[in-house]
């Protein structure tokens, strides 16, 4: 199992003085309403953000993934709106970097979305990837699922 930290928004451009310019908040509402060039740029920048974290990770054949969002404020949100775009971009990055042969359902049979706590200092999405062909990862996943069940059900 390994964990990847994903930002809630991606910087698309910088101003002449080097400060942050245009940003893209990673959620379905923005995705649905954005111009296709903005979407393409957001996916490229997301991959650049994630690829460094994936460099030392092994190649897997079948995985289960848990996405958990840690928002920076108390505003209401739809967990699917936030995590669906992270899922799309992250799983595409896994395939494009050769860490997963494909993102089809047979190779990714379990995806879970979770609400995390508020973290004003470090809003993020934590992505936990489990190799379900390995006993150790399967055992760790089962332990995690039991904890999830106890916390949320």
């Amino acid at each position: 199992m390994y964990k990847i930290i994903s930002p809630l928004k991606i910087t698309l451009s910088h101003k002449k003085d080097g400060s942050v310019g245009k940003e893209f908040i990673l959620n379905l509402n923005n995705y649905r309403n954005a111009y296709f060039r903005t979407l393409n740029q957001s996916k490229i920048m997301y991959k650049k953000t994630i690829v460094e974290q994936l460099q030392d990770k092994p190649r897997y054949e079948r995985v289960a993934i848990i996405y958990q969002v840690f928002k920076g404020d108390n505003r209401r949100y739809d967990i699917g709106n936030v995590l669906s775009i992270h899922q799309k971009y992250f799983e595409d990055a896994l395939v494009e970097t050769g860490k997963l042969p494909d993102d089809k359902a047979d190779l990714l049979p379990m995806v879970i979305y979770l609400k995390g706590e508020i973290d004003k200092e470090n809003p993020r999405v934590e992505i936990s990837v489990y190799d379900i062909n390995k006993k150790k990862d399967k055992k760790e996943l089962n332990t995690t699922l039991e904890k999830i069940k106890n916390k949320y059900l």
Side-chain angles (χ1 to χ4, degrees):
M1 190 279 284
Y2 62 83
K3 191 170 285 192
I4 299 291
I5 304 301
S6 177
L8 293 178
K9 58 186 171 184
I10 295 294
T11 300
L12 298 179
S13 65
H14 290 86
K15 296 179 182 175
K16 289 181 182 179
D17 65 3
S19 63
V20 172
K22 188 174 180 183
E23 292 185 313
F24 184 80
I25 297 171
L26 296 166
N27 71 40
L28 188 57
N29 296 328
N30 287 340
Y31 187 88
R32 180 182 61 220
N33 296 322
Y35 186 62
F36 77 94
R37 287 187 179 158
T38 301
L39 295 176
N40 188 49
Q41 181 67 13
S42 70
K43 190 173 179 184
I44 290 168
M45 298 309 289
Y46 180 88
K47 185 178 167 190
K48 283 183 181 180
T49 303
I50 297 301
V51 75
E52 188 175 297
Q53 295 181 66
L54 289 174
Q55 284 179 343
D56 64 336
K57 305 302 186 252
R59 184 177 193 281
Y60 291 156
E61 293 299 319
R62 291 182 71 231
V63 296
I65 301 179
I66 299 176
Y67 296 87
Q68 187 169 19
V69 63
F70 294 84
K71 294 286 286 178
D73 56 45
N74 286 323
R75 286 184 285 175
R76 292 179 2 178
Y77 66 97
D78 179 332
I79 197 167
N81 280 351
V82 175
L83 294 179
S84 62
I85 301 308
H86 285 269
Q87 179 184 3
K88 168 87 176 113
Y89 282 12
F90 180 71
E91 291 169 11
D92 286 351
L94 280 179
V95 173
E96 290 170 20
T97 58
K99 300 300 179 180
L100 193 64
D102 197 345
D103 57 356
K104 63 183 179 180
D106 291 344
L107 304 183
L108 230 160
M110 180 186 290
V111 175
I112 297 174
Y113 289 177
L114 294 174
K115 176 186 174 289
E117 306 303 321
I118 300 297
D119 188 343
K120 292 179 182 181
E121 302 300 317
N122 185 23
R124 67 198 179 280
V125 171
E126 290 185 0
I127 305 169
S128 301
V129 181
Y130 297 84
D131 181 348
I132 55 177
N133 286 343
K134 290 188 177 172
K135 274 187 176 182
K136 182 181 175 189
D137 274 20
K138 268 182 156 172
K139 184 176 180 182
E140 191 172 350
L141 176 60
N142 282 323
T143 300
T144 300
L145 292 173
E146 196 62 37
K147 287 178 185 176
I148 290 168
K149 186 172 78 173
N150 291 336
K151 181 175 182 174
Y152 292 100
L153 302 180

